[in-house]
Amino acid sequence: MQLPWDIIFQNINLKKIVFNKNVSGTTSTNFSAMFFGCNSLDYLDISNINTRNATNFSDMFRNCTNLREIKLGENWVMTQSATALSVFYGATKLSSI
C-alpha cells in the first residue's frame, strides 16, 4: 500500500500509531509535517516504514507535545535528506527514540 505521507496524520487525535509490515514508504520522498500537531500522540512505531528515498523530513513531529516514544527500524534512513528543519520542534516530552 502506497500512501501520500506528507501531512497525512497532521493534527490527528490518536494516542498510539503502529505501522504494520504492509505499509511502505519506499518510493516516497516527502515526509514533511506527517505528524505535525498530533498533540494526543504518545507512542509511535514507524519501524516498518522505509525512508531510504526520503529527502524531506521537515516538521515531521513538530508540536507533538505529548509524544514520549518513537520506535524506528533499520529501514529508517535519513541519508538522502536535504531538508530536516524542526523535525522534533515542540516535542518536549520525547524521551526515547
Side-chain angles (χ1 to χ4, degrees):
M1 181 167 102
Q2 184 61 44
L3 298 171
W5 292 106
D6 61 318
I7 73 167
I8 193 168
F9 296 103
Q10 197 173 71
N11 296 313
I12 200 163
N13 192 22
L14 294 174
K15 290 188 176 208
K16 179 178 180 179
I17 299 175
V18 177
F19 290 94
N20 64 30
K21 293 183 180 182
N22 294 324
V23 177
S24 173
T26 305
T27 60
S28 297
T29 60
N30 188 0
F31 287 83
S32 68
M34 185 174 175
F35 300 100
F36 187 107
C38 290
N39 295 325
S40 297
L41 193 60
D42 177 70
Y43 176 81
L44 182 60
D45 181 342
I46 48 180
S47 59
N48 287 312
I49 296 177
N50 185 333
T51 62
R52 294 188 190 278
N53 296 320
T55 58
N56 189 350
F57 291 92
S58 294
D59 300 314
M60 189 167 182
F61 307 105
R62 185 178 182 138
N63 293 336
C64 292
T65 55
N66 287 306
L67 185 59
R68 296 179 188 276
E69 182 178 354
I70 301 172
K71 182 179 178 186
L72 304 177
E74 62 186 43
N75 289 319
W76 190 265
V77 179
M78 293 179 75
T79 56
Q80 299 297 320
S81 179
T83 309
L85 299 170
S86 303
V87 175
F88 299 103
Y89 182 87
T92 55
K93 293 183 181 176
L94 187 60
S95 61
S96 179
I97 298 177

